[in-house]
Each structure stands twice: as structure tokens, then as C-alpha cells.
Amino acid sequence: ASIASKLNIQREMTGQPFLADTTPQPVCKMEGHPVPSMSNTPIDNTQPHPERRAGFRREADAEHDHLMRLLSQLPDAIACFDRDWRITFANAEAIRVSRIGPKDLNNKTHWELYPETVGTELERIYREVMRTGLPARVEHYYSPFDVWVDVHVLPIDNGVAIHYQDITSRKGAELLRDSASRQLRQVLEATTDAVVSVNRLWNFTFLNRRARELLSIKGDLIGKNVWEEFPVAAHQGAYAYHFNRAMNEGIASEFEEFYPEPLNLWLSIQVRPSDDGMVVFFRDITDRQQSDAALMEQKELLSVVQQASRVATWDVDYATGKATWGVGSYPVFGHPLADIPDFRAFKKILLP
């Protein structure tokens, strides 16, 4: 690309890729200056001797042939258009990618050979470079050949030159990756768990729908810092410990923790390391925690009532016959609870 971008082709190149012209004039200019002779022999333009002039022509021809071979052997495609948009030169790769036949050179215009490009961004860029003399770049999909090309368009004295690559494979990989990303995003948006991703700067890079709902009180969190938005997590509970293990040591973990104002939520959290930082899956378990707390409170109250009133309670699993007893049962039955392991032993006490 660097060679093609610096070459300013001074005259039209015709025929096949290795065509050499015996006209005694320089073929290329490098940034507006003639290319130095490959023999490094200084050229004295004031020398009128015919033999010296013939020597100059041979050197110019040799320079021309060398540049033609170089352009023809480049792995990227190179082609030139004159100001009437006829193709005047194409190297081997350009012939392959653009399917240029021998009769196409110096014959039909680019728009006649590739009519599907008319009215596209490619045509606009080509014509703009021809008009302004400023280089440009464009990626274009040509549907008749099912090919993507990355095109550098360069102004030259008699038209434009294009240097381009077949990027169909790369584009295919990008499309597959984008498709997979879209599918993954759809799955993450549909899940009932909240999912966020955090980069190595501790900034949020993704929140799914459920995460946005649970953290809505904080507004848009994309690009914002975890510790700045949730400062309590840095100093209270297990958040900092598990987050730092995932981020710095690549260790996955799970934990449950309460986050106070402004969330006031009990959260069940899974932390997973990723190439870019970490991914956090979490769900609101506040209702469950409150139910568990209420149940524990009821059990403690029942135990107090049992001890005060000497009320016996028991549960029997009829499938296994196993019996469990409340702590106030011993004073009622007068038997060690270990002596009543199942329903059969229990019946012997009640029905001797």
C-alpha cells in the first residue's frame, strides 16, 4: 500500500501488466519529483550528444520496466483509469479480483464493465478523487461477484489509480461475529437474571434489561465507574473481595449480600472473570430473605411458647417413618427423644 500510495503515474499504462513502453520519458514521479535512475548515474539534461540521450532513454525504459514488474507482482490489486474512466492498467491481482479480460483494457469504461457500481458510494468517491485530486478510501460490496473490497483511491496525472484488497473473508468473519453478538445480546436481554459487564478500568460496558431495571435509580451507568456509583461496595460486605478476585486473579465466585441505600436489596451474585474484565450475574432475593427471616422468627417464637406451655410438637414422614420433635416434647412424653426415632416407637408410647 505504501508503494502504491506514493507512486504518481505520469502517463497512461496500456496493455498487459508486464507491458513496457519504449517512449523515452519517465513513467512515475515520487511526490512530484522524477524517480532517480536505478544506475545512480547523474543525468545531465544539457548534454546534447545523441549517444548520451540514447543512454538516458535506455535507463528510463529500464526504470519503467522495473516499476511495471513491481506493480504487477504486488500481492494487492492495482488498477488505473484515465479521465474517461477506461482501465489503462491492471496487475495480476486486479485482473483476478475484478475479472478483467484482455479486451477490457483501454476499451469499455469502468461504469460499463461494472454497472452495479453506478449510484453507489464507490462511484461518489471515485468521481470526487478525480475532481479534487485528493486521495480517499472506501469499502464496497460488489454483489455480482459476491466480493468485498477495501479500496484506496489515488489521484494521478491522467486520471486515478486504485489500490485494493479482497476482504471478503474478513467481512464474513465480522458478519458472523456480529450475528453471534446479536444472538447473545438477545439471550441476555431475555434472561430473568441481571447481567452487567465491567472492564479493567472498573467501568460499566453493558447492562441487560433486568440490570437496568434493578439499578434504574442510578440512571444510565454505561461508561461510569463501579466504585464511584456504588461506594458502599468498596468498604462494606463481600463485594470488593469477590470483585477483586475475579478482576485480578481470574477467580469466579458466588455470594449473597445486602446493599443499603439507594438500592435496599438483598442480592444473589455470581462473578465471572472475562478477557476484558468481569461479568456479574445477580438477582433480587429480598423477598426470599424476608420470608426466611419471618420463618425463623416464627420458629423462635414457637419454641418459646412450647417451653412455656409444655406443648409437644412432632413431624412424621410417612414415606420413611422418620419422626422429628419440637424442643418442648420431652417434658410431655417423659422419654428421651432419641428413644422415639420413628412413628412405630411413637405409637408404642401413645398406645401401649
Side-chain angles (χ1 to χ4, degrees):
S2 60
I3 293 174
S5 63
K6 291 182 178 178
L7 290 177
N8 181 15
I9 302 176
Q10 188 180 39
R11 65 175 187 82
E12 295 181 2
M13 293 175 286
T14 59
Q16 295 303 315
F18 292 100
L19 181 65
D21 193 332
T22 58
T23 305
Q25 56 179 326
V27 187
C28 305
K29 290 182 179 180
M30 187 72 72
E31 300 178 352
H33 300 286
V35 174
S37 169
M38 293 185 64
S39 65
N40 294 322
T41 302
I43 298 178
D44 182 5
N45 292 324
T46 63
Q47 175 56 254
H49 196 282
E51 293 182 1
R52 179 60 63 86
R53 286 199 297 270
F56 295 160
R57 291 177 180 175
R58 287 193 296 270
E59 289 179 1
D61 290 344
E63 185 77 6
H64 171 251
D65 291 345
H66 173 72
L67 290 172
M68 290 301 97
R69 293 189 185 94
L70 180 62
L71 291 173
S72 297
Q73 294 172 5
L74 285 175
D76 296 342
I78 304 288
C80 298
F81 306 137
D82 64 16
R83 294 194 175 277
D84 293 324
W85 297 105
R86 290 189 300 266
I87 300 175
T88 59
F89 172 84
N91 72 350
E93 181 65 4
I95 289 172
R96 183 192 71 81
V97 174
S98 300
R99 305 182 189 182
I100 299 171
K103 295 182 179 179
D104 296 330
L105 293 172
N106 291 296
N107 191 359
K108 294 183 178 179
T109 69
H110 175 272
W111 318 117
E112 292 172 329
L113 291 171
Y114 310 107
E116 287 79 3
T117 61
V118 175
T120 66
E121 178 69 3
L122 184 76
E123 180 189 18
R124 188 189 71 79
I125 292 293
Y126 279 13
R127 293 190 183 279
E128 184 176 292
V129 173
M130 183 78 82
R131 178 178 59 84
T132 65
L134 299 175
R137 180 181 178 183
V138 62
E139 290 186 356
H140 179 72
Y141 175 68
Y142 190 64
S143 57
F145 296 168
D146 190 25
V147 62
W148 275 94
V149 286
D150 180 9
V151 188
H152 294 258
V153 191
L154 311 167
I156 58 176
D157 287 350
N158 293 327
V160 295
I162 56 173
H163 158 232
Y164 55 107
Q165 293 177 314
D166 181 349
I167 58 170
T168 307
S169 297
R170 191 196 83 194
K171 278 292 185 178
E174 289 177 356
L175 291 173
L176 288 175
R177 182 194 64 203
D178 292 344
S179 176
S181 296
R182 284 194 299 272
Q183 292 175 3
L184 177 59
R185 184 177 289 270
Q186 289 171 358
V187 171
L188 292 176
E189 290 293 344
T191 184
T192 56
D193 281 354
V195 184
V196 302
S197 61
V198 179
N199 65 20
R200 296 195 175 278
L201 297 176
W202 296 101
N203 295 330
F204 289 98
T205 58
F206 172 79
L207 294 89
N208 74 341
R209 175 190 56 80
R210 183 56 177 155
R212 294 192 298 272
E213 290 174 356
L214 290 179
L215 306 179
S216 60
I217 196 168
K218 300 297 294 184
D220 184 8
L221 289 170
I222 295 297
K224 296 182 179 179
N225 187 271
V226 171
W227 308 120
E228 293 176 0
E229 296 299 318
F230 300 96
V232 172
H235 309 292
Q236 181 176 321
Y239 294 101
Y241 172 74
H242 290 287
F243 287 179
N244 278 294
R245 289 184 79 200
M247 186 73 77
N248 301 324
E249 303 176 46
I251 299 175
S253 60
E254 302 179 17
F255 64 102
E256 294 181 356
E257 189 61 77
F258 179 73
Y259 196 94
E261 293 287 347
L263 299 184
N264 289 318
L265 295 175
W266 271 97
L267 301 172
S268 174
I269 302 170
Q270 299 180 23
V271 189
R272 299 289 182 266
S274 69
D275 292 342
D276 300 324
M278 68 178 184
V279 179
V280 181
F281 303 84
F282 59 101
R283 62 178 59 183
D284 179 3
I285 58 169
T286 305
D287 290 343
R288 192 196 78 189
Q289 286 286 346
Q290 291 174 346
S291 297
D292 290 348
L295 180 60
M296 183 62 66
E297 184 178 346
Q298 290 174 0
K299 286 183 177 180
E300 291 175 354
L301 178 61
L302 179 60
S303 176
V304 171
V305 171
Q306 288 174 340
Q307 293 178 17
S309 61
R310 292 190 176 185
V311 175
T313 60
W314 62 89
D315 292 305
V316 177
D317 185 345
Y318 285 104
T320 62
K322 183 178 179 180
T324 55
W325 309 94
V327 293
S329 299
Y330 173 73
V332 175
F333 293 106
H335 292 271
L337 299 181
D339 294 345
I340 322 174
D342 54 34
F343 185 59
R344 182 179 300 176
F346 176 60
K347 287 198 299 183
K348 286 182 179 180
I349 295 173
L350 293 182
L351 303 171

